[in-house]
């Protein structure tokens, strides 16, 4: 792995483990056993590193909300969407935990985030339209975008909500699974007779993950 990539992945690990506010470029360099000068050869500052991490985040968002094509709708298809959602929330949890502060320091990054979220809303709305057309959702056409936006809102702010509503100092995988269950709850509210068993299986799957003492690392 190239030094630049090592810096990005090490930074992501440290940000997630200790919080972005508590990690400096010197911490990152020491973690990698390289000199600060070597780090600054690749990145101007910590904000530059965060921008590189954000590029990875954008890619995950795009891959996780693509419309399905020529496949039957079953629990495995829905698990693909929900697992992608979980992976993004877990892999970039430092950003979800401190989103407002991170974006307030970098106007260009804030604009990138806004565009990325608009794209996610458009793609997820299309997926909901597909699910309606295939008889899996009973929702008015005029409410599809708002429903997608509500789901996106839960995903975007669930981690910070958990950290402020509980005494926990770190987010856990079961806590994120609980957020996914809130999204499943919305799906169930708009389910149809043919989709109710599938959403029930999806709910059972994530409830079992929440109840586990230790979740396997991704």
């Amino acid at each position: 792995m190239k030094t630049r990539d090592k810096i990005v992945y090490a930074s992501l690990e440290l940000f997630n483990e200790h919080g972005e506010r508590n990690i400096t470029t010197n911490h990152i360099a020491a973690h990698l056993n390289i000199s600060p000068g070597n780090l600054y050869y690749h990145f101007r500052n910590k904000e530059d590193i965060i921008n590189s991490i954000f590029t990875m985040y954008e890619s995950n968002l795009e891959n996780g909300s693509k419309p399905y094509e020529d496949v039957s709708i079953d629990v495995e298809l829905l698990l693909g969407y929900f697992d992608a959602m979980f992976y993004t929330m877990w892999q970039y949890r430092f950003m979800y935990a401190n989103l407002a502060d991170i974006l307030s320091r970098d106007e260009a990054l804030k604009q990138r985030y806004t565009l990325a979220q608009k794209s996610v809303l458009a793609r997820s709305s299309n997926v909901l339209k597909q699910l309606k057309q295939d008889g899996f959702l009973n929702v008015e056409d005029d409410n599809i975008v708002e429903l997608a936006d509500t789901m996106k809102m839960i995903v975007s702010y669930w981690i910070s909500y958990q950290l402020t509503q509980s005494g926990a100092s770190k987010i856990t995988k079961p806590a994120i699974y609980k957020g996914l269950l809130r999204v499943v709850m919305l799906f169930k509210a708009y389910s149809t007779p043919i989709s109710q068993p599938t959403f029930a299986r999806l709910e059972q799957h994530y409830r079992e993950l929440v109840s586990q003492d230790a979740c396997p690392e991704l």
Side-chain angles (χ1 to χ4, degrees), residues 2-3 17-18 53 56 74 87 89-90 97-98 103 112 128-129 147 149-151 153 161-162 167 170 190 198:
K2 296 179 180 179
T3 300
E17 182 65 24
H18 303 288
I53 292 174
M56 297 162 54
D74 55 19
Y87 178 83
M89 293 174 72
W90 176 254
N98 197 28
L103 296 181
R112 285 180 64 189
L128 295 187
K129 289 177 183 177
L147 178 59
D149 193 42
T150 301
M151 294 177 178
M153 179 175 62
Y161 174 79
Q162 286 291 297
K170 292 183 180 181
Y190 291 94
T198 302

Side-chain angles (χ1 to χ4, degrees), residues 1-160:
M1 187 182 296
K2 296 179 180 179
T3 300
R4 180 183 178 87
D5 294 333
K6 289 181 180 178
I7 293 171
V8 171
Y9 284 102
S11 299
L12 179 58
E13 177 186 349
L14 293 172
F15 291 162
N16 281 334
E17 182 65 24
H18 303 288
E20 177 268 332
R21 291 178 181 175
N22 300 318
I23 297 298
T24 67
T25 51
N26 284 342
H27 289 130
I28 298 167
H31 181 77
L32 289 170
N33 197 27
I34 63 175
S35 68
N38 193 352
L39 185 147
Y40 288 125
Y41 175 80
H42 297 279
F43 295 97
R44 294 168 297 173
N45 49 40
K46 189 168 77 169
E47 305 304 322
D48 199 13
I49 298 174
I50 292 174
N51 269 271
S52 291
I53 292 174
F54 191 83
T55 299
M56 297 162 54
Y57 167 74
E58 288 175 314
S59 178
N60 276 299
L61 287 180
E62 181 176 355
N63 292 330
S65 56
K66 291 181 178 179
Y68 57 89
E69 295 180 357
D70 301 325
V71 294
S72 60
I73 307 174
D74 55 19
V75 70
E76 295 301 325
L77 174 67
L78 297 177
L79 277 172
Y81 284 113
F82 275 82
D83 284 347
M85 196 185 306
F86 168 83
Y87 178 83
T88 302
M89 293 174 72
W90 176 254
Q91 192 72 5
Y92 304 97
R93 58 194 181 277
F94 85 91
M95 189 165 60
Y96 287 104
N98 197 28
L99 184 62
D101 180 54
I102 291 173
L103 296 181
S104 70
R105 304 195 308 255
D106 190 330
E107 183 60 32
L109 183 62
K110 183 177 181 179
Q111 292 178 9
R112 285 180 64 189
Y113 177 81
T114 301
L115 289 174
Q117 291 300 308
K118 287 182 179 179
S119 181
V120 167
L121 179 59
R123 290 196 302 273
S124 57
S125 296
N126 287 334
V127 172
L128 295 187
K129 289 177 183 177
Q130 285 182 288
L131 290 172
K132 178 186 177 179
Q133 291 170 0
D134 291 335
F136 252 61
L137 290 180
N138 180 21
V139 56
E140 297 293 332
D141 289 338
D142 293 342
N143 294 334
I144 287 178
V145 174
E146 290 184 354
L147 178 59
D149 193 42
T150 301
M151 294 177 178
K152 184 169 70 68
M153 179 175 62
I154 293 173
V155 171
S156 297
Y157 296 102
W158 179 255
I159 287 178
S160 60

